[in-house]
């Protein structure tokens, strides 16, 4: 198998994982699963989270088996940029952690609400904390981590590129979902707060 063939397979695997990851949580697919599962739908998000993690293992394993040619290895003083990206990513993730309902995002909150008979759906819309500066701090942080992590090689360039495109598309799809669910308040929020780059207070 040639290197080009191997990287084509790698790109296909990452694209397939991204597609499945997005499809399984899309509004249309989730609505169909809700009809099929009924009360058991409360466990769907947790099952989705577990599947997303374990389905990533064969993709990463295949990538690790490929021979790599280093393109960029973060020499000094570029190493300062690398750790600067790590630092900003950490702040974005920490800021998101402070305002997001992590238990809901993992699927734990839905199970708790089912057991207590709660009919609440989704997370509350807020513009507090980091969300007053950037609309998608975790997407922004993820992009920084993708490009700062390890050396840039011909193989990692494939995965980094696919993941970056996926993160951007995922953010755009999330935007549309939030507009559909929240409406005018979210449209007004979009006009005040940037999507990826925190640079002003809304």
């Amino acid at each position: 198998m040639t290197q080009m063939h191997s990287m084509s397979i790698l790109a296909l695997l990452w694209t397939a994982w991204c597609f499945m990851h997005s499809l399984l949580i899309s509004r249309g697919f989730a609505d169909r699963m809700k009809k099929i599962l009924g009360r058991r739908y409360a466990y769907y998000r947790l099952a989705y989270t577990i599947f997303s993690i374990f389905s990533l293992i064969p993709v990463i394993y295949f990538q690790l088996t490929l021979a790599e040619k280093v393109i960029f290895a973060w020499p000094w003083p570029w190493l300062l940029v690398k750790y600067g990206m790590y630092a900003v990513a950490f702040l974005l993730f920490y800021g998101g952690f402070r305002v997001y309902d992590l238990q809901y995002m993992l699927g734990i909150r839905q199970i708790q609400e089912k057991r207590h008979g709660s009919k609440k759906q989704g997370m509350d819309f807020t513009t507090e904390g980091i969300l007053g500066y950037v609309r998608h701090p975790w997407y922004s942080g993820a992009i920084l981590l993708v490009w700062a992590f390890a050396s840039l090689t011909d193989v990692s360039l494939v995965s980094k590129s696919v993941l970056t495109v996926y993160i951007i598309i995922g953010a755009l799809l999330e935007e549309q979902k939030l507009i559909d669910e929240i409406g005018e308040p979210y449209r007004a929020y979009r006009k005040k707060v940037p999507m990826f780059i925190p640079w002003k207070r809304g």
Side-chain angles (χ1 to χ4, degrees):
M1 185 183 297
T2 65
Q3 183 74 347
M4 185 61 68
H5 187 200
S6 297
M7 289 196 292
S8 297
I9 294 175
L10 179 65
L12 182 60
L13 288 174
W14 273 113
T15 301
W17 182 86
C18 291
F19 176 77
M20 289 299 298
H21 187 265
S22 181
L23 173 66
L24 294 177
I25 205 63
S26 65
R27 191 170 184 176
F29 190 88
D31 287 343
R32 285 193 289 271
M33 292 304 298
K34 184 180 293 186
K35 293 178 181 178
I36 294 171
L37 297 174
R39 289 178 56 81
R40 290 175 295 178
Y41 179 73
Y43 297 91
Y44 180 74
R45 179 88 186 198
L46 180 59
Y48 162 80
T49 301
I50 295 172
F51 173 79
S52 297
I53 294 172
F54 281 93
S55 61
L56 192 57
I57 294 175
V59 182
I60 295 177
Y61 176 78
F62 179 78
Q63 178 168 330
L64 292 175
T65 65
L66 301 180
E68 299 182 82
K69 179 180 179 181
V70 176
I71 299 174
F72 183 75
W74 295 101
W76 181 267
W78 286 100
L79 199 60
L80 295 176
V81 176
K82 175 188 179 77
Y83 287 113
M85 292 168 69
Y86 277 140
V88 174
F90 172 80
L91 292 175
L92 289 167
F93 275 106
Y94 178 73
F97 179 79
R98 293 287 301 271
V99 294
Y100 289 145
D101 185 344
L102 189 59
Q103 288 192 329
Y104 174 84
M105 300 183 78
L106 292 175
I108 298 172
R109 180 77 64 201
Q110 293 87 326
I111 297 173
Q112 293 174 339
E113 291 173 352
K114 173 184 178 294
R115 291 176 176 173
H116 291 89
S118 174
K119 295 183 178 180
K120 179 183 176 182
Q121 295 183 352
M123 294 188 295
D124 295 329
F125 173 57
T126 179
T127 60
E128 297 298 318
I130 191 69
L131 297 180
Y133 296 90
V134 60
R135 301 201 302 272
H136 300 287
W138 281 4
Y139 287 117
S140 302
I143 291 174
L144 288 173
L145 284 182
V146 163
W147 288 98
F149 182 74
S151 299
L152 180 64
T153 69
D154 54 348
V155 173
S156 68
L157 180 61
V158 173
S159 57
K160 290 175 186 289
S161 299
V162 173
L163 286 172
T164 301
V165 171
Y166 170 66
I167 291 168
I168 294 172
I169 293 176
L172 293 173
L173 292 175
E174 181 72 11
E175 287 275 293
Q176 188 57 54
K177 179 181 177 182
L178 291 170
I179 291 172
D180 293 340
E181 293 178 354
I182 300 170
E184 190 56 39
Y186 194 79
R187 290 190 178 92
Y189 171 64
R190 292 177 70 196
K191 295 177 181 178
K192 297 178 180 179
V193 178
M195 187 174 187
F196 289 121
I197 303 174
W199 62 277
K200 66 178 181 180
R201 176 72 179 178

